[in-house]
Every structure is written in C-alpha cells, then in structure tokens.
Amino acid sequence: MLIEHLPPESHTMTALRNSLSQAELDAQADKGEPEKGRWSQLEQLVAANVDAIRRLEYLLICINTEKKSKRPDPPEPMRRPGAGSRKKTATLTKTSANRLFELLQGGAA
C-alpha cells in the first residue's frame, strides 16, 4: 500500500491520525515501537541531542545533591530504529527476598 510509505508528517498521515478516536490513539500509544520506524538523519541527531541534554541534567542533579541523599536513576537513551528496548531489571520476589534474608542471617551454613 502506497500510504504506508508516506512520511509521518505528510498531510495524508496527519489527516488519518486526526480522524482516530481517543481509544484508537491510546491503543496505538500503548503499542508504539519507535525502534521499528524509519528515522531520518535529522531525527537521529535530534535524539542524540535529547540524550545529551538528559545526561547533562542528570549530572547536574547528582553534583548538586548531598552524598547521603538518594540520587535519581541515570536517564535511558531514546529508543531508536534498529535498537531493541532495554532489558528489564529483575524484580525481587517474596520467595527470593525471604531466601536472601535467611542467607544474611547466617542460613547459608
């Protein structure tokens, strides 16, 4: 289909987006996968700038935060075409937490 290859900012694609209901927009937002889209060189450069600004903001916050205070998590880079999403961090289950507590209390012996 020819329409699928139009740039997202084209008049046709904008009209199609504007005709979607709020529920359809929400569903598309939940399923968004920017890494599968096509990005121009300009979009790649803009993403690199956003990442740099986020890192500078993070460093500024860390520098101006007391050593004993909780610092924010480092920023994640913007998702780019061809790059999969970052691996999710493992969550500590109740069973794992109990086992860890036992080990810390000398249960490993």
Side-chain angles (χ1 to χ4, degrees), residues 3-4 6-26 28-29 38 43:
I3 269 184
E4 291 175 355
L6 289 173
E9 67 274 3
S10 70
H11 181 72
T12 303
M13 294 303 279
T14 301
L16 288 171
R17 267 192 316 277
N18 289 343
S19 68
L20 294 175
S21 69
Q22 188 60 44
E24 292 170 319
L25 285 172
D26 292 341
Q28 283 189 0
R38 297 168 291 156
E43 290 168 319

Side-chain angles (χ1 to χ4, degrees), residues 93-108:
T93 64
K94 197 169 201 170
T95 306
S96 299
N98 288 337
R99 177 70 182 137
L100 180 60
F101 182 73
E102 289 172 10
L103 291 172
L104 291 173
Q105 298 300 319

Side-chain angles (χ1 to χ4, degrees), residues 42-100:
L42 178 61
E43 290 168 319
Q44 292 281 1
L45 291 170
V46 169
N49 283 332
V50 168
D51 289 343
I53 290 170
R54 287 177 178 171
R55 284 191 307 271
L56 287 172
E57 180 183 36
Y58 170 74
L59 290 173
L60 183 65
I61 290 170
C62 288
I63 288 171
N64 290 306
T65 302
E66 293 182 23
K67 290 183 179 181
K68 294 182 181 180
S69 298
K70 183 176 181 335
R71 295 178 181 211
D73 294 332
E76 287 194 25
M78 287 184 71
R79 289 167 44 194
R80 291 169 171 74
S85 59
R86 292 186 159 230
K87 294 179 182 178
K88 294 183 180 181
T89 56
T91 56
L92 187 62
T93 64
K94 197 169 201 170
T95 306
S96 299
N98 288 337
R99 177 70 182 137
L100 180 60

